[in-house]
Amino acid sequence: DIVHQALIAHMSEQADNDAMAMAAQLADGSVGRAMDFLSAGGFDLHQQLKTLLLGGATNWPVIHGFSGNLAGRDAEARFTLCIDFWRQLTASIVRDTATRAEVAPLHDMNALANFDKTLNEELSQTLGLNLDRKQFLINQFKAWHEMRQRLTTPLVASDQLAY
């Protein structure tokens, strides 16, 4: 596809062909997003976040380490990409839940929408006031896992991220 070909032309020395193909698919047609994805280590970040959000039991030591790795000034691109992934994953879950044969309870859909709204509000405050990013991420993980415990519909998300 066109995005994959553009990545080959611009990043062939920095990423292998399989990585570029996956970045092109996940970026859903955006060459810039695919390049950001590759340069920020997006594959590992995407998989780690998805595992932490959709996996089994909450592993707080891993969450603390993950959050700490994204909190430093040298991790700006990865922090931004993580938030993008989180938003997209939430949107994917809402989309996938709404299109399944069974109808998700309204309170489950509302819980997901409220989580997304709160994430955006707290992100604006964190960035605007230059607050601790590690604490912001830990708070979001805590809110996510509390929300998951109240849901009656299992969370399902596709691997396609739309930007």
Side-chain angles (χ1 to χ4, degrees):
D1 93 329
I2 294 171
V3 174
H4 187 198
Q5 295 304 317
L7 290 174
I8 290 171
H10 292 286
M11 301 195 73
S12 61
E13 293 180 16
Q14 294 143 344
D16 66 35
N17 191 42
D18 291 341
M20 288 186 284
M22 184 176 240
Q25 177 188 5
L26 289 172
D28 195 33
S30 169
V31 175
R33 176 52 72 192
M35 291 174 74
D36 289 347
F37 184 85
L38 288 168
S39 64
F43 299 110
D44 291 338
L45 183 62
H46 177 255
Q47 192 56 43
Q48 288 173 333
L49 181 64
K50 195 169 180 180
T51 299
L52 290 172
L53 295 177
L54 300 177
T58 304
N59 188 334
W60 289 109
V62 172
I63 288 172
H64 275 265
F66 177 83
S67 300
N69 288 336
L70 298 175
R73 294 194 190 281
D74 60 337
E76 183 76 29
R78 288 178 55 79
F79 177 83
T80 301
L81 194 58
C82 175
I83 298 303
D84 285 348
F85 284 157
W86 203 327
R87 287 174 172 153
Q88 293 301 320
L89 186 64
T90 303
S92 174
I93 290 168
V94 169
R95 200 171 39 250
D96 290 351
T97 301
T99 58
R100 279 189 266 154
E102 73 272 9
V103 176
L106 185 58
H107 72 274
D108 285 3
M109 300 302 276
N110 285 338
L112 286 160
N114 287 336
F115 174 83
D116 189 57
K117 178 183 176 205
T118 301
L119 180 139
N120 290 323
E121 290 170 352
E122 291 181 9
L123 176 64
S124 292
Q125 184 178 27
T126 298
L127 297 176
L129 298 174
N130 198 27
L131 300 176
D132 185 347
R133 291 179 181 196
K134 178 179 180 179
Q135 190 60 52
F136 163 77
L137 288 169
I138 290 170
N139 289 345
Q140 299 313 305
F141 277 110
K142 183 176 185 272
W144 178 268
H145 288 283
E146 288 172 354
M147 176 200 65
R148 274 190 73 186
Q149 292 175 345
R150 293 188 306 269
L151 297 180
T152 58
T153 307
L155 298 180
V156 177
S158 67
D159 282 330
Q160 183 70 29
L161 299 177
Y163 288 94

